C-alpha cells in the first residue's frame, strides 16, 4: 500500500510566509531611493554600513551621500567636549584626522551642501586656507548652501607659550593682517565656486574688499556677521553698501563692537527684503536712519560701556543721535515685534508704557536714560 504523503502543518506555511514578509527588499528599491534612505545616517555609521556588503560599499562611494564637511566636530576622540586644553600630541592627532577627512571627502567625490570649519587662516605653518581651497577645488561645491566659518581660531590648538621677538601688539597686528588677507582669498574662491550660498555665519573684518566680496553672494537669505577685532571699526558707508548689495537677504545678525574713538558715529541701514534684524550683541551701534520696508522683527540692546565721561561730553555725543522710536516709525512701517515683545497695531501713531520700557533698554538717545556711558 503506497505511503500517504504527510501534509505540512497549517502553521508552518504561515510562519514561513510571515518571515519572508518581514524582510524588507532594500536592494530592490531604485538606487535613488536607497541613497535617500542611507543619507540619514551619521557619517561614522555610513562608513560602517560600507562594510555590510559589496552593493552597500558601492552605494557609500556616491558623492550624494557626502553632503556635509564639518571640521568643527573636533574629531571622534573629542566630540562634544568644549574648552579643552590639549597637548601637542593630541593636536597632531587632530591634524591627522583633518587630513584624512579631507582625503575621504575628495575620494568619495563629495557633493557639498554644508561647510563648517574653524581654522586660524593666519597660521603660516599649517596653512589651513590652502587646505580649504584644495577641498573646494576637488569636490563638487556648486550647490553649497550653508557656510559656517570661523577663520580666527583653530580648534584644539595648544597654547603657544614660546617667547616672541618684538612687542606683543606688533605680533598681533601682523597675525591679524595675515588672517584678513587669507580670508579674502578664501572668500573670493567661495564667491566663484559656491555662488548659491543662502545661509552664512562668519567673523567679518568690515574692510571694503571683504564687503565687496560678500556682496557677490546674491542668493544670501540668512547672514550672521561676528566681530573680528575689538580695535577694528566699521565704516558707516560699508555697512549701508553691503545690505543694499544683497537683494535676497531676509535675516541679518550683527555683532559689531564700535571702538571708543568712533563714539558718536551713527549708521544707516537699507534693504528692501530684510525681515529680521538682530543687533542685540553689538556695542555702540546706533542707527540714525533705517529704510527697511519689509522689517517685521528687531532685537536691539543698549550695552553699558563702563566709560567715565563728564556730563558735557556725554550730552554732546548723545545729542547727535535721534530716538530709536522715531527711526523705526519712519523706516520700518511693518515692524511687529521689538525685543521679543509684540507691538500694538497703532504703535507708530502713539507710544505706550510697555513700548517706553523696551526703548529704555535699546535706545541711546537723551530721552531714554542718559547714564549708559557710566
Amino acid at each position: 500500500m503506497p505511503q500517504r504523503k504527510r501534509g505540512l502543518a497549517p502553521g508552518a506555511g504561515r510562519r514561513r510566509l510571515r518571515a519572508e514578509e518581514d524582510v524588507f527588499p532594500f536592494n530592490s528599491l531604485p538606487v535613488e531611493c536607497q541613497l535617500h534612505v542611507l543619507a540619514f545616517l551619521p557619517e561614522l555609521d555610513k562608513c560602517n554600513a560600507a562594510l555590510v556588503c559589496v552593493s552597500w560599499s558601492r552605494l557609500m562611494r556616491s558623492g550624494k551621500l557626502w553632503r556635509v564637511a564639518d571640521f568643527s566636530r573636533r574629531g571622534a576622540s573629542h566630540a562634544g567636549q568644549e574648552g579643552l586644553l590639549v597637548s601637542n600630541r593630541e593636536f597632531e592627532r587632530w591634524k591627522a584626522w583633518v587630513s584624512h577627512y579631507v582625503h575621504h571627502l575628495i575620494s568619495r567625490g563629495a557633493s557639498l551642501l554644508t561647510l563648517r570649519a574653524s581654522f586660524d587662516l593666519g597660521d603660516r605653518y599649517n596653512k589651513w586656507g590652502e587646505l580649504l581651497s584644495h577641498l573646494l577645488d576637488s569636490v563638487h561645491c556648486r550647490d553649497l548652501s550653508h557656510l559656517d566659518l570661523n577663520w580666527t581660531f583653530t580648534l584644539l590648538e595648544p597654547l603657544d607659550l614660546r617667547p616672541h621677538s618684538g612687542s606683543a601688539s606688533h605680533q598681533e597686528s601682523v597675525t591679524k593682517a595675515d588672517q584678513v588677507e587669507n580670508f579674502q582669498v578664501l572668500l573670493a574662491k567661495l564667491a566663484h565656486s559656491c555662488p548659491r550660498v543662502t545661509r552664512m555665519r562668519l567673523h567679518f573684518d568690515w574692510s571694503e574688499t571683504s564687503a565687496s566680496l560678500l556682496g557677490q553672494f546674491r542668493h544670501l537669505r540668512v547672514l550672521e556677521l561676528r566681530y573680528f577685532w575689538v580695535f577694528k571699526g566699521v565704516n558707516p558707508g560699508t555697512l549701508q553698501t553691503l545690505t543694499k548689495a544683497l537683494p535676497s537677504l531676509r535675516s541679518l545678525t550683527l555683532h559689531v563692537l564700535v571702538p571708543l574713538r568712533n563714539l558718536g558715529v551713527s549708521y544707516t541701514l537699507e534693504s528692501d527684503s530684510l525681515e529680521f534684524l538682530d543687533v542685540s550683541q553689538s556695542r555702540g551701534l546706533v542707527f540714525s536712519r533705517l529704510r527697511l520696508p519689509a522689517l517685521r522683527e528687531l532685537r536691539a540692546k543698549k550695552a553699558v560701556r563702563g566709560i567715565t565721561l563728564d556730563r558735557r561730553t556725554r550730552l554732546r555725543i548723545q545729542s547727535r543721535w535721534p530716538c530709536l522710536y522715531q527711526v523705526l516709525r519712519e523706516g520700518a512701517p511693518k515692524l511687529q515685534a521689538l525685543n521679543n515683545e509684540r507691538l500694538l497695531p497703532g504703535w507708530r501713531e502713539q507710544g505706550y508704557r510697555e513700548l517706553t520700557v523696551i526703548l529704555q533698554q535699546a535706545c541711546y538717545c537723551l530721552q531714554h536714560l542718559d547714564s549708559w556711558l557710566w
Side-chain angles (χ1 to χ4, degrees):
M1 197 173 171
Q3 221 173 12
R4 183 181 299 176
K5 292 184 179 179
R6 183 179 299 176
L8 292 175
R14 286 196 296 268
R15 282 196 298 270
R16 186 182 300 111
L17 182 62
R18 190 178 297 115
E20 292 176 354
E21 290 176 349
D22 288 342
V23 178
F24 184 76
F26 183 80
N27 289 338
S28 300
L29 292 174
V31 174
E32 291 299 324
C33 293
Q34 295 182 39
L35 292 175
H36 180 74
V37 172
L38 295 173
F40 291 98
L41 292 175
E43 290 188 342
L44 185 59
D45 291 342
K46 290 177 185 176
C47 295
N48 292 331
L51 304 176
V52 171
C53 60
V54 175
S55 61
W56 281 29
S57 177
R58 202 163 24 253
L59 285 172
M60 290 303 165
R61 290 185 174 88
S62 172
K64 295 181 179 179
L65 287 182
W66 306 97
R67 298 289 203 175
V68 177
D70 189 356
F71 295 93
S72 64
R73 296 186 294 114
R74 302 173 184 266
S77 59
H78 296 97
Q81 302 183 40
E82 300 292 338
L84 292 174
L85 290 177
V86 301
S87 65
N88 288 318
R89 177 178 296 180
E90 289 176 301
F91 182 55
E92 292 299 323
R93 287 176 54 197
W94 183 79
K95 284 168 55 179
W97 171 82
V98 169
S99 178
H100 293 154
Y101 187 43
V102 170
H103 175 74
H104 169 78
L105 292 172
I106 294 174
S107 64
R108 293 296 180 268
S111 181
L112 297 182
L113 297 179
T114 300
L115 173 60
R116 301 188 188 98
S118 181
F119 294 118
D120 179 3
L121 297 188
D123 188 338
R124 296 182 177 181
Y125 177 75
N126 291 299
K127 299 181 179 180
W128 300 114
E130 294 183 8
L131 179 139
L132 289 176
S133 295
H134 174 59
L135 174 66
L136 294 174
D137 287 336
S138 305
V139 300
H140 179 77
C141 58
R142 194 74 181 174
D143 297 325
L144 188 76
S145 60
H146 184 191
L147 175 66
D148 189 344
L149 176 64
N150 182 350
W151 47 275
T152 67
F153 171 73
T154 300
L155 290 175
L156 297 181
E157 186 170 18
L159 295 175
D160 188 1
L161 302 178
R162 296 172 300 177
H164 296 279
S165 59
S167 65
S169 59
H170 173 71
Q171 182 66 31
E172 185 177 15
S173 298
V174 172
T175 301
K176 296 297 182 183
D178 289 342
Q179 287 177 331
V180 171
E181 181 181 356
N182 292 325
F183 166 65
Q184 291 173 349
V185 171
L186 181 61
L187 192 60
K189 177 175 286 292
L190 286 165
H192 178 264
S193 304
C194 319
R196 300 171 185 168
V197 175
T198 59
R199 299 175 63 91
M200 186 180 294
R201 180 172 67 172
L202 70 164
H203 293 68
F204 201 61
D205 66 294
W206 290 106
S207 65
E208 292 186 6
T209 300
S210 297
S212 175
L213 291 170
L214 187 58
Q216 297 180 25
F217 293 88
R218 310 288 288 178
H219 297 279
L220 263 181
R221 296 174 60 87
V222 180
L223 177 62
E224 180 178 345
L225 298 179
R226 302 191 167 210
Y227 73 89
F228 162 61
W229 198 18
V230 68
F231 302 110
K232 180 67 176 178
V234 180
N235 187 299
T238 303
L239 177 58
Q240 182 179 3
T241 302
L242 177 61
T243 52
K244 289 176 64 177
L246 301 172
S248 303
L249 193 62
R250 298 289 185 272
S251 173
L252 176 62
T253 302
L254 295 176
H255 299 232
V256 174
L257 302 182
V258 178
L260 299 182
R261 66 178 183 273
N262 291 344
L263 277 178
V265 175
S266 56
Y267 296 83
T268 297
L269 208 59
E270 298 184 31
S271 173
D272 292 328
S273 59
L274 193 64
E275 299 177 356
F276 173 82
L277 175 62
D278 185 353
V279 295
S280 59
Q281 300 301 315
S282 297
R283 289 191 173 189
L285 183 64
V286 181
F287 293 112
S288 60
R289 178 175 174 268
L290 296 176
R291 195 187 68 78
L292 305 173
L295 188 68
R296 298 183 181 276
E297 183 176 355
L298 170 66
R299 297 178 186 175
K301 183 179 180 181
K302 180 168 51 182
V304 177
R305 301 301 296 268
I307 311 163
T308 302
L309 294 178
D310 61 86
R311 180 176 177 82
R312 184 175 181 179
T313 303
R314 189 173 72 248
L315 294 178
R316 178 171 55 84
I317 293 175
Q318 289 184 272
S319 62
R320 303 176 186 176
W321 300 325
C323 177
L324 180 61
Y325 176 63
Q326 298 299 330
V327 173
L328 293 175
R329 282 184 60 191
E330 298 172 3
K334 293 185 178 180
L335 189 68
Q336 298 177 357
L338 179 58
N339 286 354
N340 297 317
E341 297 291 337
R342 189 82 174 180
L343 298 176
L344 295 179
W347 69 271
R348 297 180 67 213
E349 288 72 30
Q350 185 177 2
Y352 51 94
R353 184 174 60 85
E354 291 81 0
L355 178 57
T356 301
V357 173
I358 299 173
L359 289 172
Q360 287 175 346
Q361 302 170 355
C363 181
Y364 287 93
C365 78
L366 289 172
Q367 179 183 350
H368 297 105
L369 301 180
D370 63 346
S371 60
W372 67 277
L373 290 173
W374 292 99

